[in-house]
Amino acid sequence: MTARSTPGPRHDAKMVSPSDHMTRTDSITDELRRDILNGRFEPGDRLLEVPLAEHYDCGRAAVRSALVELTSEGLVEREANRGATVRRISIIEAVQITEARAALEGLIAAQAARHASADDREELHGIIADMRAAVGDGRSRDYSDLNARFHRRLREMSGHVIASQLVANLRNRAAHHQYRLALMPGRPSESVEQHAAIADAVIAGDESAAATAMQDHLRSVIEVLNRWGDVA
């Protein structure tokens, strides 16, 4: 799938400073990353510079820079004579990503339990309530979005910048598999209670229980991924 055609980039006479150019390049990178993570571009889709430049209303240099950055993040794959495509993540790689996440997110959950404020704890209550409502209503996409929000807020609450950056990159690389998990019959009902256990431990300020609950949750994800691999 290629980007849908939209009017070409605007041209005007004003001078563009290097900082403005860098800001625009960063913006294109953010927009393309978001569109890949949201499924606008699926694994294996070709990412052609001209259609992308037209869609994002920018120059090809900005698109090229975005593709280079997203290649370094593991979201895009570039091959000679084929160009750039959205990178396919194998089940084996998804399992390894989740194993790495388990180590890092256990630390993050423990740090969130240590540092969460009263407002943070109240927010976690609300997210879990929204997740349960989404499961009850069969709103898989909403559940997937809430799942991502839950993990993002724990990273922010933890205050552990390095672990948070590493985990965000790992989650992005396996985003397609994460969304498939949310669509798997029965999986959201199981997953939401695992997230509730994490939230309860963080809210109680129990660092050890928070780390254990997070690692138990991600081990469960690995079990599901391995079952997919057995079927494939």
Side-chain angles (χ1 to χ4, degrees):
M1 182 176 93
T2 58
R4 290 178 293 186
S5 178
T6 57
R10 294 183 297 268
H11 299 279
D12 54 43
K14 70 178 181 179
M15 297 294 292
V16 178
S17 70
S19 61
D20 288 339
H21 175 74
M22 184 63 69
T23 299
R24 182 57 177 152
T25 298
D26 292 344
S27 173
I28 299 305
T29 303
D30 291 341
E31 290 180 43
L32 180 54
R33 181 190 299 108
R34 183 171 58 249
D35 284 344
I36 291 172
L37 296 178
N38 289 343
R40 176 182 176 86
F41 302 108
E42 298 182 354
D45 282 351
R46 295 187 67 192
L47 300 170
L48 303 177
E49 289 183 9
V50 172
L52 289 172
E54 291 176 350
H55 174 68
Y56 293 114
D57 193 12
C58 66
R60 291 179 64 180
V63 171
R64 199 171 299 119
S65 295
L67 292 174
V68 169
E69 174 62 27
L70 297 181
T71 297
S72 72
E73 293 179 13
L75 290 177
V76 170
E77 187 171 39
R78 304 174 79 198
E79 298 180 13
N81 302 320
R82 188 162 184 259
T85 59
V86 179
R87 190 164 179 266
R88 297 182 188 274
I89 303 296
S90 69
I91 295 296
I92 292 174
E93 186 173 356
V95 167
Q96 292 179 353
I97 287 171
T98 309
E99 289 171 341
R101 281 181 54 199
L104 291 166
E105 291 204 61
L107 169 62
I108 284 171
Q111 292 294 303
R114 177 183 297 182
H115 297 297
S117 67
D119 287 343
D120 291 334
R121 294 192 290 270
E122 185 64 27
E123 183 179 358
L124 287 180
H125 271 303
I127 294 173
I128 295 299
D130 289 343
M131 291 174 79
R132 284 185 166 134
V135 171
D137 296 339
R139 293 181 281 113
S140 298
R141 183 57 185 260
D142 288 345
Y143 180 79
S144 180
D145 291 342
L146 287 163
N147 187 331
R149 178 185 168 196
F150 178 86
H151 286 270
R152 183 179 67 252
R153 287 297 293 123
L154 286 183
R155 295 197 300 272
E156 293 167 351
M157 292 174 194
S158 75
H160 201 299
V161 175
I162 299 302
S164 296
Q165 290 173 344
L166 292 171
V167 167
N169 179 273
L170 290 169
R171 281 183 62 87
N172 285 351
R173 289 176 63 178
H176 183 67
H177 289 297
Q178 291 160 24
Y179 182 57
R180 287 179 63 197
L181 280 170
L183 298 178
M184 186 177 181
R187 176 59 192 173
S189 297
E190 179 181 15
S191 174
V192 71
E193 296 310 319
Q194 295 169 358
H195 285 84
I198 298 166
D200 287 345
V202 171
I203 290 166
D206 190 330
E207 297 177 38
S208 177
T212 298
M214 178 64 79
Q215 290 165 347
D216 287 346
H217 163 57
L218 291 171
R219 275 194 293 268
S220 174
V221 172
I222 290 169
E223 289 174 4
V224 175
L225 291 170
N226 280 325
R227 289 203 297 271
W228 280 349
D230 291 340
V231 171

